[in-house]
Amino acid sequence: MPLPHGSEASRWPTYAALALAVVATVLAALAYFLPAHHQASVPQQGGDAKANVCSAYKGAHRSVVVNTHMQSRNPDDAVAELSVATNARLALVGGGAYLKDRLAANTAAPADLADAVNSFANTIEQLGMNYLIGVATEVQDPLRKDLDTQVTQLDKLCA
């Protein structure tokens, strides 16, 4: 027997997605502010560090692209819209924190790459925080332009 439109059963995936996004945000914040270990950095070979940092950048960049361009399947459902927006904000803030952690773990990465990844991480974190507090488009636009330039630079450095 089909469920009536708008029933609770048809909304559970939306609620589950929202709950998962909230849990992931909390865990990312805990991981960022309460690191599980405080090891001294281990020297690495420069090539390994570059490959590791570039891999982290590519993953974070892909996450940002996928989640900031996602559209709700039901634009009339406020919870679905919030779920999509939450994932985008998580990708931005979490991606920045993730990249900073990868940089800290790969201290032998070339300086130009480390600087570019750090700038990218700062920009996506700032965009995410600005979205969370509802900053105007005029404030976000220069950051988006900076991000485009940073992506072009990082794509060249990681080619």
Side-chain angles (χ1 to χ4, degrees):
M1 176 169 139
L3 295 171
H5 181 68
S7 72
E8 283 300 313
S10 67
R11 292 184 180 212
W12 78 265
T14 303
Y15 295 132
L18 181 59
L20 182 61
V22 169
V23 168
T25 301
V26 169
L27 291 175
L30 287 173
Y32 181 74
F33 292 110
L34 301 172
H37 60 282
H38 297 288
Q39 297 176 344
S41 71
V42 177
Q44 300 175 321
Q45 298 295 326
D48 292 340
K50 179 181 178 181
N52 291 340
V53 170
C54 284
S55 177
Y57 156 70
K58 289 174 184 175
H61 179 240
R62 181 75 183 135
S63 172
V64 166
V65 169
V66 167
N67 286 286
T68 59
H69 290 89
M70 190 177 291
Q71 298 290 319
S72 171
R73 292 183 186 169
N74 185 359
D76 296 326
D77 184 349
V79 174
E81 287 289 308
L82 181 59
S83 295
V84 169
T86 300
N87 282 340
R89 293 163 184 164
L90 176 61
L92 290 163
V93 175
Y98 169 75
L99 286 173
K100 289 177 181 180
D101 287 346
R102 296 302 85 211
L103 279 174
N106 290 278
T107 56
D112 58 344
L113 176 61
D115 290 343
V117 168
N118 193 53
S119 291
F120 176 81
N122 287 334
T123 300
I124 62 175
E125 282 182 324
Q126 188 62 58
L127 281 165
M129 289 305 298
N130 286 354
Y131 283 124
L132 286 169
I133 60 175
V135 169
T137 302
E138 307 83 57
V139 175
Q140 294 289 72
D141 284 344
L143 289 170
R144 287 187 199 110
K145 287 179 183 169
D146 289 347
L147 190 63
D148 290 340
T149 302
Q150 293 164 351
V151 166
T152 299
Q153 179 187 16
L154 280 163
D155 286 348
K156 288 178 185 173
L157 290 170
C158 289

